[in-house]
Structure formats: structure tokens, C-alpha cells
Amino acid sequence: MKKPRNVFHKLTFGAVLSLALTSTATVRAEDTIKVGVLHSLSGTMAISETTLKDTMLMLIDAQNKKGGLLGKKLEAVVVDPASNWPLFAEKARELLTKDKVAAIFGCWTSVSRKSVLPVVEELNGILFYPVQYEGEESSRNVFYTGAAPNQQAIPAVDYLMNDLKVQRWVLAGTDYVYPRTTNKILEAYLKSKGVKDKDIMTNYTPFGHSDWQSIVADIKKFGSAGKKTAVVSTVNGDANVPFYKELGNQGVSAENIPVVAFSVGEEELSGMDTKPLVGHLAAWNYFMSVDTTKNAAFIEQWHNFIKNPKRVTNDPMEAHYIGFNMWVKAVEKAGSTNTDAVQKAIIGLEFPNLTGGVAKMLPNHHISKPVLIGEIQEDGQFVTVWQTNKVIDGEAWSDYLPESKPIIADWTPPINCGNFNTLTKKCSGQNY
Amino acid sequence: MVITWVLRVLLLMYAISVPAQTQDAFSQALEQIRTGSMGEREQAIETLASDSRALPIFDAWLNGNLFEFKAESRLVIVTESPMGYHLTDASSGLALTEVDRNAVGKINLTNRLRSSLRKAIARLQLDAVDADTRLAAVNTIAKDIDDTGLALLRTHLIDESNLAVRVAIEHIVLLNDIDSSDKATRIAAINALKDHDNRNVANRLRALTEKNADGNYLETDGDVRNLAIAALTRINNRLQVYAAIETVFFGLSLGAVLVLALIGLAITFGVMGVINMAHGELMMLGAYTTFVMQQLLPDSLGWALILSIPMAFIVAALVGIGIERGIIRFLYGRPLETLLATFGVSLFLQQAVRSIFSPLNRSVATPTWMSGSWQINDFLSLTWNRFYILIFCLLVFTALLQLLKRTRLGLEVRAVAQNRGMARAMGIPGSRVDAMTFGLGSGIAGVAGVALSQITNVGPNLGQAYIVDSFMVVVFGGVGNLFGTLVAGFSLGIANKVLEPYVGAVLAKILVLVFIILFIQKKPRGLFPQKGRAADG
């Protein structure tokens, strides 16, 4: 008779324990506001996303030192979706149902965002997404604080076309949704500017591609036809290192054929041998090298928090900085963390960005940003060679794709839709 | 009264300003370089372009050695020193103090400035004493030629004594003659140029054969056009030959990387029959060894790389022997368990590297003798790093083959591989040979890692990228056959590179994979199956 009693004991103990745990959790939930941080801390994306997790911890810490929010302390709930796309959805569900977070800051790749999207819509959560992306989306529950194509890719092409007089174009990318969509938009844009088919070369490579010999040789051949050529690169992550190395080895210099990249920032450069990259370009909305007092203060805050003066700051970090502060202002304005109230309050809010302009949350849930084009220097920093003279409003739907040209996103009444067709005056059933 | 006064003052100002201006144009331009915007810097380069005093400054700037000495607000040229930098005043060339790195700020450059600088340097160097420098200068000017450049070259040609430089300049002048108004000159120019492997020639000739929107030729002179078409055809034929050579080279070098990666696998998997999923991670260890060696010897990257070859071999071999003694020897004859256990080891090694070196990729520098390419002519160049890796691969392969064929260890390895029981009966210590063989295979993986560090990322995931390909090629080549591995690696590399231009990198890989699957269906033992009793064991 010993065994059953033991089981019974264990059961009661377990029940008491779980009761105790839930009660403490409810007590704590009353005096803190929880903020979910959904960034991969392991796996392939950990390289980029760990920094964003630390940025969020720093911002929350700073806000708490200022007295918290609505008289309560903020509490970060950090989860690790491990670069595993379906796990992103599971972790988002966990954050919203179990931890009852007021907002989630997270995701990096588009595929992880697409995986979280149905969850935040179903449970009516809020997601702040800090990375430049391909557009063609606007969800009621997502705020896109990174660049849309018209805030990064299109201005970069304009710069190449007008300032560097580029006539032939290589669109090179990794084979997944972001490069494919971006290149589709760019191709349509280039053709609208009168660039002929034979002057555009498109090329896709698998993730982590390391043998660039024949592709670079092709680019070289393509670029030696006597017209100025540039490469628009949406090559993502690791594959960039062998790509630039091969360009350098085959004698393709930034002066002959410049490469403008949309995924190479300060953080990525810190792990690369920068010699073959010097002079190549990148388009972002923020550079660590931009000389403003706000930026200097931000860099100092980051170095103090991370306790390493060698760490760099980058564009998605600024996006989180803007997104988090906008959310704080929206919660203060609404007087609650209720999703609907925050969504209503945040539209139209303004917050100064780090490079000297003002970011504004637009009705399509994107923000206004300046566009900067920089040349890579040997120390892994950028020298700004061109920038827009004012901030540019993010467009959810590209004007250069025929199917999305008539579509707009507007989350204010009377439209209240992320996918509104201005010709048929209808909101598509799909709400993102 | 007032007027004379004003005139006097004006005259005085003029008298002061004019000599001051001519005297100080140089230092003013330097000041512009130090504090000005990118546009002003470009102006300054133009101002200094004909001043030979500017040459060392331009040179230093282009090489990233031009700094601002913040405390004294002056432009300095720096050379690295143990404490930081030795400073030399840019305008006077006098040596200044030695300061630490924070006391100076680099004068940044953009592409525009870089090409202006290169042009200015080339024009200044046209009068250099050394003929090679002059030749290089002529070639730089030729890259982006304009009327000023052409005029400069034409005047220079009169006094030029060196033959090679003369030929180069004459070549450029001829190229320009194609657009001359005199028909005879044009025809002579095309005839003279048609055997040159030169991109500019090809582009000029192509321009002569182009049609406008209405389908009419842009070039109205029929004789010139036909001559140009004939010359272009000849050039294109040569181009095709070069392209074929290039493809074969690309294929061989891709194959060389594969062969290096899997030659160790051919021993552990092929000879011993152990499926070692941690093989890729042993390569990763080799690559990290290179990184560590470069950290230890930051001033001599080339030596660090050469020394890392034996170091990587030792590190990887020791880890390999550890794995064999600690795990694999208990699992001989149980392939599934071996696979799972070594997969666990691979995860363990990856995480260990993440904890020690951070999850970020580490940057391994390429020594100068391995970067750049061997320019055979304007159309054909072979990159040095691939070239060295190809040779290195062949050396490693030969050494391994000799080791297995000529040494006692090789004999014992082959004996144990063929028949373990019989070998033991003959007095060969089976378990010691197993450990040595596994160590050998692992060590070679480490050496492969050194080569990989030169062409790809050094990060915790380095090994994973190669492991699948490697198993594939070993099976394709015939398990247990080193020579088969070599042939399989090279032929798959070439097949991949031949397909790539037509179908793209993604599809090329898929097609090769499909081919291997079909091939193994037909010939399960690979290209070169082992014969005899050992094959049935």
C-alpha cells in the first residue's frame, strides 16, 4: 500500500505548488507590465538576433530607471525560438497566452514574421518588427519599424542611376522570399525607368553559398561591356563573405563595379575581413558613424550596458529603439496597454530618430525614415555618401508591381484595412 | 582723396594676396583635404594633380595612411609602430612624434575620390624613373581614358624610351584611331589590334557592329564594319576557348575543396566503415586553429597560415583520437549508434566553439600572396587562392596515398580494413591501428579546415555545409577507394560549374544530386568499386 499513497502525496504537493506558482504570477502580473522579446538566441540567426535581445533589455532597463510605465515596472520576458520558424509561432502563442505580454518585440527573417503573423492576429497581440523587409504586407497587429522597399532598395537604385550613372544591373540574391520580392519590385522599377531586359541580370544562390567563382566571372563579363555596371545584392548572411572575397580576388573593385547591399551592416562587418569590401556600398536608415548627439548618447548607453566598448550599433537596433519608445508613448497616451487602445493611440505619434530626423507612425503601420547610403571603410564602419534630405514614408504595397499598385493600407477609419483596393473600393478578405 | 585711399588699400591687399596665393595653393589644398567635405577634397586633388610634391600624400591616402593629427590640426602620413603610429608631416615630409591610435583620425575616402586619386597618381607617375611604374601608370590611365589623358600620353610617347611602355601607349593611341576620321587610319588600326586580347578592343569593335533601333548599322562605312565584324569573330572564338579553360579551372577548384573536405572521410568512412557525422566539425576545428594562429602571429599572416597546417592536423587528430577512444570503439559494427553518437559529438563541438569564440563568425585574413588573381590576359585570369588550394589538395592527396602505400602504418591500416580478425592474428594491434587511422582521417579534416578558412566563413556552422556533399561524393566515388574519391570530387565539381551558367546555382546542385541518386541506383558500389573478398566484408 505504500506506492499509491506516495503518488497521492506527490499529486497534492504538485497541486499546491502549481497553485502557489500561479498565485505569485498573478500578483506579479498586477504590478508589472510584461514585454515579450522574441529573438533567436541559438541557431543560424543568433548572430544577428542576440544583439536585438540585448537592445530590448537595455531599453526596458532604461525605461524602468525613468520610473517605468503607467506607474508600473516593465518586465522583459525573453524566449528563444532558436532560428526555427514554426517555433516562432509557438513561442509567440506562449508569450501572449501564458505570459500575457503587452507587446512583443521580435523576429528577423521574413519567414519568421510570416509564421508569427496568424498568432498575433488570432490572439490580438502587438508585434514590433525591426528589420528591413520586402513589403507587400500590413497587419493590424504588426508595426513595421524597419525599412519597406521604398525606404531602402528604391532610393539605393536611384542613387546608383543618378549619381554613379549605372546602366547595367546585376540583381543578386539568396533564394528566399525577401530577395525574390525585392528583386521583382526592383526589376519593375528599373524597367519603368527605361532599362532594357538585356541590361538586367538576375541571379539566385542557396543560403550559405560559398563557391562564387562562376557567378563573379559572369558578373565581370556582364560588367565589361563598356557600360557602368552595379550589383544590387540581397545576398543574406554568411554567403556575403566568400562573395566579396571572390569579387576582390577576381579584381572586381568597388570603383569598377560597386556592390550595394541591403543586408550588410556594422554587426555583420565586425565578423568579416573587411579588406575586399572597402568602397562597396550599403543602404540603410541608420549608420553608427552618423555624427549626432542623440546617436553618440545611444552608442554610449549601449557600450555601458553591454560592457564592451568594441560592440557596434546597427540599423535594426535603431528600429527597436524607435519602436519601443513609440509604444511607450502610445501606452502613456492611451492610459492602458490594451491592444486596441494602443493601436489607436500609436498612429500619428512621432519620435526623434538617431540620425537627426523624426520618425512618425503612419496609418499603414510603417514609419517614416531617412535613407542613407554609405561606403564601407576598412574599420567596418560606413561613410555616408548620399542621403535623402527628408524622411521618406514607408509604403506597405509597392507602386511598381502591377498587382499591388492600386492597393493601400490604412488602419484608421473609415478604411481600417491593410489590403484596400482603391479601384474596387474593397478590402480584401485577407487582412494582411 | 577717399578714392586714392581706397585704391591704395586695394593695391596693398592685392600685393599681399597674390604671392601668398601661389605660395600657399599647396598648403591650402592640404587644408581642404583635412577639413573639407568629399566635394572639396575632390577639388583639392585636382588642384594638386600637377604638383609632384603631392605624390607621396596621394599614395598614403590611397593606402589608408593619411591621417589628421588632432592635437596639432595638421595632415600627417603614418606608419605603424608598436606604440601606435609614427607620424610624418604631410607637407614638409619631416618626421614628427610617435602617438597612440586615438590621437589621429583617418581621412576617409569614397570611390569617387579613390578613382580621382588613382588617375592623379598615374599622371604624376608617368614621369617616374622606373619603367614598370610608368607602364602601370599608362595602364591606369588607359582604363578610363579621356581627351586630357590621351593628349598626355601622346606627348609622353615622344620622349618614352622603354619599349614596353611605348607599345602600351601606341596600343591606346591605335584604339583611339578606330574613331578617327581618316578611313585608312581606321582600317590600319583595326588590323593592328585584331590579335590583342583586350576588353577595350573588343568593346570598341562591338560598338562598330551594333545596329540602331531601325535595324541599320550605326557604322556607315561598310569596309570598316566588315573588317570589324571579322576581327570580332576572331576575338569571340578566342573568348570561347578562354571561357572553357575558366570553367574547367572553376570546376577543378570546386572539386579540390570537395576532395580536401572528404579525403579524411574517405579514410574513416571508406576504409574503417565508420560514419563520422562530426567530420565537418573537425574541419571547423582546423579553421579555428588558423584563426588562433593568426591571432598569435598578427604581423606575419602568411607564416601563420603555413604553420596552421601542421597545427590544425595535430589539433584535429588529437580530438579525432579522443572521439575514437572515448566513443566509437565501443560501437564498431553498429553503424546507426555510431551515426547518432557522432552526431551528438558534432553538436557538442559546435556549442563548445560557440561558447569559446562566440557565435559570431571570426574573420580570418588572407595573406597578400593568396589574394588577387593571376592575370594571363585581359580575358583570362585564375584566382590565386583557388590555385593554391588546388595544388594543396593534390599535395595532400599524394602524401596520403604514399603514406598508405609505402609506410608500415599504411600497411597495417589496409590490413585491418580488409580483414580485422586476420590482421590481429598476424600480430597487428587492431585497436591501436584503429585509433591511428581515425586520427589520420581527422587530422586531414583539420588540414582541409585551414584551406576552407581562406575561401569561406569561419563559424560554428562551417562543418555542416560540407558534410552532406562529402558523404555524397565518397559514395559516388566508391567507398574505400581514395583514387575514386579524387576522380569523383573533380568530376562533380566540373559538372556543377558547367551546369551553373545555364541553370543557376540552385538548380545545378539539384541536378548533380539527382544524377548521383540515379547513378547509385545503377551502380551501388560507386565509380570504382572495391574488388575481391574485402568488398564483401
Side-chain angles (χ1 to χ4, degrees):
Chain A
M1 286 309 282
K2 207 181 164 193
K3 243 183 174 177
R5 260 184 70 183
N6 211 348
V7 170
F8 178 72
H9 269 269
K10 269 185 188 161
L11 272 175
T12 24
F13 178 71
V16 169
L17 190 75
S18 58
L19 238 163
L21 276 176
T22 39
S23 59
T24 48
T26 40
V27 168
R28 284 184 64 194
E30 275 164 12
D31 53 27
T32 64
I33 296 174
K34 289 189 179 176
V35 178
V37 181
L38 182 67
H39 282 302
S40 303
L41 310 178
S42 53
T44 44
M45 292 313 295
I47 296 176
S48 310
E49 290 193 62
T50 313
T51 314
L52 291 185
K53 184 254 322 179
D54 290 329
T55 310
M56 281 315 296
L57 293 183
M58 173 181 85
L59 292 170
I60 290 169
D61 187 51
Q63 187 65 30
N64 279 337
K65 283 194 181 129
K66 275 192 270 176
L69 185 57
L70 301 179
K72 295 176 184 174
K73 288 275 175 213
L74 290 175
E75 185 193 340
V77 184
V78 179
V79 290
D80 178 15
S83 313
N84 176 347
W85 321 136
L87 196 58
F88 267 90
E90 268 172 54
K91 291 286 176 188
R93 186 173 292 276
E94 189 183 308
L95 284 172
L96 290 171
T97 53
K98 195 171 129 251
D99 298 305
K100 306 224 177 312
V101 296
I104 300 174
F105 290 80
C107 300
W108 181 290
T109 58
S110 288
V111 46
S112 70
R113 186 190 68 252
K114 295 268 186 210
S115 132
V116 169
L117 204 59
V119 178
V120 288
E121 293 199 334
E122 177 199 331
L123 301 170
N124 198 18
I126 293 180
L127 171 70
F128 281 85
Y129 176 67
V131 183
Q132 104 282 6
Y133 84 119
E134 69 279 5
E136 307 300 294
E137 181 184 306
S138 174
S139 162
R140 197 173 91 90
N141 300 75
V142 182
F143 294 94
Y144 306 83
T145 52
N150 75 314
Q151 292 172 308
Q152 191 187 26
I154 301 269
V157 166
D158 276 340
Y159 167 74
L160 292 174
M161 200 183 282
N162 301 332
D163 287 42
L164 300 186
K165 311 280 176 230
V166 170
Q167 292 169 302
R168 305 196 93 194
W169 304 84
V170 181
L171 307 177
T174 305
D175 203 358
Y176 76 107
V177 54
Y178 165 66
R180 286 226 177 233
T181 317
T182 307
N183 285 344
K184 209 164 85 183
I185 294 172
L186 286 181
E187 224 179 300
Y189 180 69
L190 287 173
K191 282 185 184 153
S192 79
K193 293 274 172 185
V195 177
K196 291 200 187 68
D197 253 340
K198 68 173 169 86
D199 287 332
I200 301 176
M201 168 178 152
T202 323
N203 186 294
Y204 292 103
T205 41
F207 265 106
H209 189 65
S210 64
D211 195 278
W212 288 90
Q213 300 180 88
S214 27
I215 292 165
V216 169
D218 279 351
I219 291 175
K220 211 168 132 183
K221 256 177 231 139
F222 187 77
S224 66
K227 287 181 183 169
K228 180 79 181 170
T229 306
V231 181
V232 178
S233 157
T234 36
V235 173
N236 207 307
D238 281 6
N240 275 304
V241 178
F243 176 48
Y244 283 107
K245 244 186 196 169
E246 191 66 40
L247 281 171
N249 281 337
Q250 293 203 18
V252 178
S253 78
E255 287 156 52
N256 315 329
I257 304 181
V259 179
V260 57
F262 302 143
S263 314
V264 178
E266 288 89 346
E267 184 81 27
E268 288 75 22
L269 287 175
S270 69
M272 293 186 192
D273 176 14
T274 46
K275 247 185 291 155
L277 283 92
V278 172
H280 287 299
L281 304 156
W284 288 105
N285 311 101
Y286 166 87
F287 286 128
M288 186 182 179
S289 62
V290 172
D291 190 17
T292 62
T293 43
K294 276 215 154 53
N295 191 21
F298 181 73
I299 294 169
E300 198 191 333
Q301 188 191 359
W302 171 242
H303 285 166
N304 289 338
F305 180 83
I306 207 79
K307 294 187 181 61
N308 180 356
K310 282 192 181 149
R311 288 293 295 272
V312 293
T313 56
N314 64 9
D315 182 271
M317 284 172 73
E318 193 219 20
H320 257 343
Y321 165 81
I322 295 171
F324 177 76
N325 281 298
M326 276 190 172
W327 175 75
V328 167
K329 277 179 96 171
V331 170
E332 276 167 354
K333 187 175 155 196
S336 96
T337 58
N338 175 284
T339 304
D340 295 332
V342 170
Q343 270 164 0
K344 216 168 165 185
I346 201 167
I347 289 174
L349 277 186
E350 291 187 344
F351 192 80
N353 60 32
L354 294 172
T355 52
V358 173
K360 184 176 174 188
M361 182 58 76
L362 305 165
N364 62 4
H365 285 190
H366 289 65
I367 65 175
S368 55
K369 284 170 165 277
V371 184
L372 294 91
I373 292 175
E375 275 183 21
I376 300 170
Q377 303 292 307
E378 209 153 340
D379 57 0
Q381 291 290 330
F382 293 90
V383 167
T384 311
V385 288
W386 183 87
Q387 72 187 88
T388 50
N389 44 20
K390 56 180 177 31
V391 289
I392 297 206
D393 288 351
E395 281 169 12
W397 301 91
S398 174
D399 288 346
Y400 300 100
L401 293 179
E403 63 269 27
S404 55
K405 192 171 170 41
I407 293 174
I408 57 160
D410 188 340
W411 288 106
T412 52
I415 293 178
N416 238 331
C417 171
N419 192 353
F420 182 78
N421 192 322
T422 47
L423 298 179
T424 57
K425 305 277 178 216
K426 267 187 202 147
C427 184
S428 136
Q430 177 198 18
N431 52 353
Y432 49 85
Chain B
M1 186 61 195
V2 177
I3 292 169
T4 45
W5 187 75
V6 169
L7 269 176
R8 226 182 252 175
V9 170
L10 278 178
L11 215 71
L12 197 72
M13 276 171 65
Y14 183 75
I16 293 170
S17 69
V18 164
Q21 248 174 23
T22 43
Q23 210 173 31
D24 278 341
F26 182 68
S27 48
Q28 243 173 30
L30 290 192
E31 194 62 20
Q32 241 176 356
I33 290 174
R34 188 172 68 82
T35 55
S37 66
M38 294 297 170
E40 286 168 342
R41 284 178 183 169
E42 191 159 5
Q43 274 176 6
I45 297 176
E46 260 171 50
T47 318
L48 296 176
S50 52
D51 195 329
S52 61
R53 284 178 297 174
L55 192 56
I57 303 174
F58 285 172
D59 245 351
W61 198 3
L62 197 59
N63 293 322
N65 293 328
L66 192 69
F67 283 69
E68 178 193 12
F69 185 21
K70 289 178 197 156
E72 296 184 15
S73 317
R74 67 160 110 195
L75 213 53
V76 290
I77 295 172
V78 305
T79 41
E80 301 244 349
S81 75
M83 256 187 61
Y85 291 125
H86 276 299
L87 304 186
T88 317
D89 187 84
S91 58
S92 63
L94 293 175
L96 300 172
T97 51
E98 193 177 349
V99 294
D100 74 50
R101 278 155 205 272
N102 293 326
V104 289
K106 193 166 179 173
I107 307 291
N108 281 324
L109 271 177
T110 61
N111 284 328
R112 237 188 132 95
L113 289 181
R114 263 183 220 109
S115 52
S116 308
L117 269 181
R118 254 187 251 282
K119 226 190 237 178
I121 291 175
R123 285 179 186 179
L124 288 172
Q125 277 179 341
L126 215 48
D127 300 322
V129 185
D130 179 30
D132 287 339
T133 317
R134 288 205 301 274
L135 187 62
V138 168
N139 286 333
T140 313
I141 295 174
K143 260 186 204 155
D144 181 21
I145 193 129
D146 50 16
D147 290 341
T148 338
L150 195 67
L152 204 66
L153 289 181
R154 275 188 205 270
T155 25
H156 185 76
L157 187 59
I158 302 166
D159 310 326
E160 181 58 56
S161 54
N162 183 282
L163 188 68
V165 183
R166 282 196 77 92
V167 168
I169 297 177
E170 273 161 5
H171 186 179
I172 297 162
V173 173
L174 274 176
L175 199 59
N176 207 61
D177 282 346
I178 294 184
D179 296 336
S180 150
S181 51
D182 176 35
K183 189 173 168 180
T185 318
R186 299 180 74 184
I187 288 175
I190 295 175
N191 276 327
L193 287 171
K194 67 182 175 198
D195 289 325
H196 281 279
D197 288 324
N198 184 295
R199 275 190 204 288
N200 291 337
V201 174
N203 286 336
R204 279 291 164 96
L205 290 177
R206 194 168 299 129
L208 291 181
T209 60
E210 262 172 14
K211 291 177 184 174
N212 64 11
D214 308 330
N216 299 322
Y217 283 105
L218 289 173
E219 173 58 49
T220 46
D221 192 325
D223 295 341
V224 173
R225 193 175 62 226
N226 289 336
L227 198 62
I229 292 173
L232 197 62
T233 324
R234 286 174 66 133
I235 290 180
N236 282 339
N237 287 343
R238 288 203 301 275
L239 260 179
Q240 270 171 359
V241 176
Y242 295 139
I245 296 174
E246 203 177 48
T247 309
V248 171
F249 175 73
F250 288 163
L252 283 179
S253 70
L254 175 65
V257 174
L258 272 180
V259 169
L260 264 178
L262 59 83
I263 223 172
L265 201 69
I267 294 183
T268 53
F269 177 51
V271 178
M272 292 176 73
V274 172
I275 298 177
N276 180 15
M277 292 299 282
H279 187 80
E281 277 58 42
L282 292 167
M283 290 198 276
M284 175 194 74
L285 286 183
Y288 271 97
T289 311
T290 319
F291 169 71
V292 172
M293 290 302 286
Q294 284 198 346
Q295 296 306 104
L296 293 177
L297 297 168
D299 296 326
S300 43
L301 293 177
W303 280 112
L305 189 68
I306 291 167
L307 283 177
S308 28
I309 296 171
M311 280 306 291
F313 184 88
I314 294 169
V315 170
L318 287 178
V319 173
I321 290 174
I323 296 173
E324 202 274 344
R325 288 288 88 184
I327 298 165
I328 294 175
R329 72 170 161 142
F330 304 113
L331 300 170
Y332 280 122
R334 288 149 69 187
L336 192 63
E337 281 93 330
T338 320
L339 190 145
L340 289 174
T342 50
F343 184 62
V345 171
S346 83
L347 293 180
F348 170 80
L349 286 175
Q350 276 177 36
Q351 199 54 46
V353 162
R354 271 200 197 101
S355 310
I356 298 170
F357 295 99
S358 100
L360 285 173
N361 288 340
R362 299 286 94 182
S363 91
V364 173
T366 310
T368 38
W369 48 269
M370 265 191 88
S371 33
S373 51
W374 175 21
Q375 197 79 36
I376 297 167
N377 60 43
D378 221 24
F379 296 123
L380 184 64
S381 60
L382 307 178
T383 46
W384 282 121
N385 64 347
R386 300 281 176 170
F387 191 73
Y388 282 118
I389 286 173
L390 182 57
I391 292 181
F392 183 61
C393 161
L394 294 175
L395 282 179
V396 170
F397 183 80
T398 325
L400 186 67
L401 216 56
Q402 294 307 314
L403 186 87
L404 284 181
K405 288 231 165 108
R406 301 272 162 94
T407 65
R408 186 174 170 81
L409 177 67
L411 187 68
E412 289 177 349
V413 168
R414 284 182 291 142
V416 172
Q418 278 177 16
N419 193 324
R420 177 174 299 266
M422 187 67 82
R424 289 186 74 134
M426 303 296 284
I428 294 171
S431 68
R432 197 181 68 92
V433 170
D434 280 338
M436 294 298 281
T437 319
F438 201 82
L440 180 66
S442 309
I444 290 172
V447 171
V450 178
L452 284 182
S453 77
Q454 289 304 310
I455 54 169
T456 185
N457 290 293
V458 177
N461 300 324
L462 174 114
Q464 287 178 327
Y466 287 92
I467 191 75
V468 176
D469 283 0
S470 305
F471 273 110
M472 206 167 77
V473 183
V474 171
V475 173
F476 177 58
V479 175
N481 189 323
L482 276 186
F483 190 68
T485 314
L486 186 78
V487 174
F490 282 141
S491 46
L492 286 184
I494 293 174
N496 215 327
K497 286 293 154 188
V498 169
L499 285 173
E500 212 171 88
Y502 300 103
V503 296
V506 183
L507 203 56
K509 217 168 171 185
I510 296 174
L511 285 178
V512 168
L513 199 70
V514 168
F515 165 73
I516 291 183
I517 293 173
L518 292 178
F519 183 85
I520 289 173
Q521 295 289 322
K522 195 82 187 147
K523 292 187 84 173
R525 284 179 188 277
L527 270 181
F528 299 94
Q530 273 192 327
K531 294 188 184 79
R533 232 183 313 173
D536 308 319

